[in-house]
Structures are given as structure tokens and as C-alpha cells.
Amino acid sequence: MIKENISLKGYNTFGIDATAQYFSTFNSVEQLAGLLESKKLITHNPSLITFILGEGSNILFTKNVEGLVLKNEIKGIEKIGEDENYVYVKAGAGESWHQLVLFCINNNLAGIENLSLIPGNVGASPMQNIGAYGVELKDVFYTLEAFYLAEKKMIQFTLQDCEFGYRESVFKRKFKDQFVITSVTYRLFKTPRFNTSYGAIEQELQSMGIQTLSIKAISQAVINIRSSKLPDPAIIGNAGSFFKNPEIDAEQFKELKIPFSGIVGYTLDNGRVKLAAGWLIEQCGWKGYRKGDAGCHAKQALVLVNYGNATGDEILNLSEEIIESVQKKFSVPLEMEVNII
Ligand code: FAD
Ligand code: EPU
């Protein structure tokens, strides 16, 4: 059923009070197709947009949505095949990402334990090739199925088709708003390849007193680290990192190191250097800053927060001031990671 004038405050982790002109959920491809037909009948306006909503953990609403918001609730997680080294798991796009992680851990399937506790659903996981603690979605991605809105048909995408990059995919750019991802199939390892080299994982495993490494232990270590620095959206509105970590060339990094010896960056395989945007933002004095209800998180400067009643524009304005100051101090452009609506 399509409802009218629904508040989206409870449907985005920033807690922004925007309104959807029309709103519905769907739990199957057939229901999705039916709703798109009804949209034509109800709205009489083909130019109204269709916006696909997951759990709203990577969006910032700066205006009301003139059109139909469709919340994906396609469920189901199942093992669909295996070979010598891998097990293939297919999940409905409306499944919670962390539930999928738990399913894999409980079934001793390795590969996504480092991605524990990332908010959002399965359908959004390929959108920006979610990543954390040295692992990205692309490392376990096999295929996905998506409904092509223009031709009303299902299309399968392989790893190559998705053109995954750092917080990037074809769905975020080239095919933006053209496909509704309905299921994703992941290829998990039967034998784990433990990845503990990133950040504070080793240290956390030690303080947990772990003697024998397991995917469950790594998952718990990641959960502990994340919980210690990232704000819980149920308490303070946020969408995780607001900006991407910027890449610069090695020459610029060398030059920046002269006045800013503490600058945090690491060299990529292509010779370029990825900088910690959180450090740059902190150095510009923003960490812990608050203006009205919009702020920069006190424990992680890369995360912008809504203390209650900030508007999307207030958060966006703050982000623009941050971009400007980082550009001025370091000559480094910051790019937003969050989808601005
Ligand atoms: P939404 O925010 O609902 O949607 C995001 C975008 O994808 C929108 O443009 C939407 O239209 C589109 N979309 C969603 N579902 C579909 C679909 N089925 N088909 C087509 N388009 C779709 N991200 C990381 O990568 N790593 C992290 O470590 C991380 N940590 C986070 C920590 C916190 C506290 C928070 C709040 C967020 C964090 N994020 C992180 C960001 C976020 O969790 C991910 O981007 C997540 O995948 C978003 O999922 P979602 O279902 O909430 O998507
Ligand atoms: N730092 C500071 N000050 C800060 C924050 C960070 O100096 O306020 C420096 C520290 O030196 C720290 C380094 O930045 O060691 C890296 O910080 P952290 O480990 O917290 O990770 P990040 O680079 O800020 C990225 C991702 C996160 C992901 C973590 C762990 C991006 C944009 N963000 O954050 O993803 O969870 O690494 O892998 O790549 C997200 O995308 O929403 C997200 C939370």
C-alpha cells in the first residue's frame, strides 16, 4: 500500500526530519514491479522520482522527497552452492548486513568478519563497496541481481560489471538511481584467511585474551573497536564517515610532511598516498565542534553528527565549511562519502 506524506525521521540514521510524498515497503520483485505500476496511477506524474531506501545509514536528506520512497524489505539468506574452496551465499537485499555477517560466522564461512557491525542492509552493500579493517565487499562479492527501472526487467551483474572502487561502484555513479538491487550472492572462504593487520585489531585481540584466532574472535574485536569510537545512531544521529579518505600523489605527501610532520597517510599499491581525513579535520580544529544541533564527533572527526534537531542543510553547511578549511590548510580536496538527497 502506498502511503502519503510520511516522515522519514525514523528511516535515516542521521535522524533528519524530511517527508516522503509517497512511501511504501516491498518484500519481493513482484511487489516492487506492482508498486511502480501503481505509482503511475496514483501520482499521474511520470517525472516524480523513485527513491530506494535501505536502512538510511548513508544518506543525508536536505529536502523532502517529491516522489515515491520504496523501502527494501526483501528477505532470505541461503547457501546456494559450494566448490572446493568456497561456499556461495545468496541474501535478499532487505536483510540486515550484520545479520548476514552473523549467519556466515555461525556457519563457519570466512571473509566478512572484518565487516562486522556496519549498519545498513545487504542491497546497499555493493552501492559503495562497503569496507572496513582491511576488507572490502568486492573481496567476497560474486554476483547480484537488480531490477532495471527503465526496462522493468531483472539484470545480473558480475564482479567486473560493478566496477568497484574505494567506496564506489557503477550504482553510485554511472547507473545512479537506475537499478534496484534485489539480491546479492557472496563467495565465502571455507578456510579462513585471517586479516588482523589493520588498525588496532591485533591489540584488541590481545586485550581480549584470545589464544586461538577465529573469525568469531576477529568479529568481536572489530565490534569492540567500532563501538569505542563510532557514535551509535540510536543515540546520536550520524551516517558514519561523512567524507572519504583522500588520495594524493607521493610528491604532495612529501611536501606536506615538512610543515605537518604528524600527518597520517599510507602508500597504496599505485604509489599514491591515502590520507586519514579524520586527522586533517582534527588539525583544522573541528573535532568536537558543535553549532546548534550539527556537530563533528568528539571521538572521530570524520563523522558528522546530529544531536537532535539539526536539518540536513545545517549538516551540509558544516561539511562545506570543513571542506573549505581542509583545502585552505592542506590544499587537499575532501569528497563526501554520504549520499546527499
Ligand atoms: P541507505 O543509506 O538506505 O542507502 C544508501 C544509498 O544506496 C542510497 O543512495 C540508496 O538509494 C541506495 N540504495 C540502498 N539500497 C539500494 C538497493 N537495494 N538498490 C539500489 N539502490 C539502493 N560504510 C562503510 O563502508 N564502512 C564502514 O565502516 C561504515 N561504518 C558506518 C558506521 C556508522 C555508525 C554508520 C551510521 C554508517 C556507516 N557506514 C559504513 C555507512 C553505511 O553503513 C553503508 O554505506 C551501508 O551500506 C548503507 O546501507 P543502507 O541500507 O543504510 O543504505
Ligand atoms: N584520525 C585522527 N583523528 C580523528 C580520526 C582519525 O587523527 O578524529 C587518524 C588516526 O591517526 C587514525 C586514522 O586517522 O589512526 C584512521 O582512523 P580510523 O581507524 O578511525 O579510520 P578512518 O580512516 O577514519 C575508515 C573508514 C571507516 C572504517 C574505518 C576502519 C573511510 C572514509 N572510513 O575510517 O568507514 O570503518 O576506516 O576501517 O574510509 C564509513 O565508511 O562510514 C566508515 C566508518
Side-chain angles (χ1 to χ4, degrees):
M1 194 183 68
I2 297 182
K3 297 180 191 161
E4 265 185 76
N5 294 324
I6 295 295
S7 167
L8 295 169
K9 195 171 166 73
Y11 291 105
N12 69 99
T13 60
F14 250 125
I16 302 295
D17 197 7
T19 301
Q21 189 179 4
Y22 298 99
F23 179 93
S24 187
T25 59
F26 62 97
N27 59 24
S28 67
V29 175
E30 294 69 34
Q31 212 179 10
L32 168 67
L35 283 163
L36 294 169
E37 281 304 308
S38 318
K39 177 187 163 195
K40 280 194 255 166
L41 299 175
I42 293 172
T43 66
H44 306 290
N45 182 354
S47 68
L48 287 182
I49 64 156
T50 300
F51 181 77
I52 304 300
L53 183 64
E55 289 177 19
S57 65
N58 205 25
I59 50 182
L60 178 68
F61 287 116
T62 58
K63 55 180 183 298
N64 294 329
V65 182
E66 308 290 332
L68 175 62
V69 173
L70 290 176
K71 181 163 162 44
N72 193 328
E73 291 187 347
I74 300 177
K75 299 289 184 196
I77 302 180
E78 55 174 338
K79 290 187 204 173
I80 57 161
E82 67 181 288
D83 52 32
E84 200 186 331
N85 298 316
Y86 304 103
V87 171
Y88 299 81
V89 173
K90 182 175 179 178
E95 283 288 345
S96 138
W97 170 260
H98 188 62
Q99 286 306 314
L100 174 71
V101 173
L102 294 178
F103 173 92
C104 292
I105 291 171
N106 292 336
N107 285 277
N108 216 14
L109 302 175
I112 51 175
E113 56 280 3
N114 292 47
L115 302 178
S116 294
L117 213 63
I118 296 182
N121 67 23
V122 159
S125 66
M127 288 297 298
Q128 67 158 9
N129 178 28
I130 55 169
Y133 297 95
V135 174
E136 284 184 327
L137 174 97
K138 69 172 173 50
D139 303 329
V140 292
F141 178 90
Y142 189 58
T143 56
L144 66 76
E145 288 175 322
F147 186 80
Y148 184 25
L149 290 165
E151 295 187 7
K152 299 190 171 38
K153 64 175 186 191
M154 294 298 295
I155 295 188
Q156 196 176 62
F157 286 76
T158 63
L159 179 65
Q160 283 71 27
D161 297 333
C162 293
E163 295 175 21
F164 289 125
Y166 165 59
R167 300 293 191 271
E168 284 296 345
S169 76
V170 276
F171 303 104
K172 201 169 173 182
R173 301 277 163 200
K174 196 161 80 186
F175 295 152
K176 189 170 163 25
D177 298 330
Q178 293 183 39
F179 288 89
V180 182
I181 296 168
T182 56
S183 72
V184 184
T185 301
Y186 304 89
R187 198 179 70 162
L188 285 314
F189 298 100
K190 286 182 170 176
T191 310
R193 300 173 180 189
F194 299 123
N195 190 337
T196 60
S197 56
Y198 191 99
I201 298 187
E202 294 277 7
Q203 208 183 317
E204 182 59 30
L205 287 165
Q206 257 184 26
S207 59
M208 284 162 63
I210 297 296
Q211 309 282 336
T212 317
L213 208 49
S214 66
I215 54 175
K216 198 169 181 177
I218 293 180
S219 169
Q220 192 56 53
V222 168
I223 289 173
N224 294 351
I225 300 167
R226 294 182 67 95
S227 310
S228 73
K229 57 180 162 188
L230 289 168
D232 178 354
I235 299 166
I236 305 177
N238 76 94
S241 301
F242 197 90
F243 308 97
K244 292 184 185 182
N245 284 327
E247 259 182 57
I248 60 171
D249 61 41
E251 194 53 38
Q252 188 183 0
F253 186 56
K254 219 167 104 187
E255 281 163 17
L256 280 170
K257 265 179 144 170
I258 302 165
F260 307 109
S261 58
I263 191 165
V264 182
Y266 65 93
T267 306
L268 302 167
D269 291 343
N270 62 10
R272 288 170 65 78
V273 178
K274 188 177 273 189
L275 299 179
W279 187 89
L280 301 174
I281 297 168
E282 183 175 349
Q283 296 302 307
C284 290
W286 293 106
K287 197 170 182 170
Y289 174 88
R290 176 172 178 171
K291 184 179 183 184
D293 273 354
C296 179
H297 189 50
K299 291 188 193 164
Q300 224 304 0
L302 198 46
V303 178
L304 300 191
V305 292
N306 173 11
Y307 286 102
N309 293 311
T311 62
D313 274 340
E314 284 168 341
I315 305 275
L316 188 64
N317 289 344
L318 172 60
S319 77
E320 282 162 358
E321 281 184 65
I322 292 174
I323 291 176
E324 211 177 295
S325 67
V326 169
Q327 175 69 37
K328 202 165 154 202
K329 190 169 176 117
F330 300 104
S331 301
V332 173
L334 287 185
E335 198 189 320
M336 292 175 198
E337 184 205 284
V338 170
N339 299 283
I340 310 297
I341 313 294

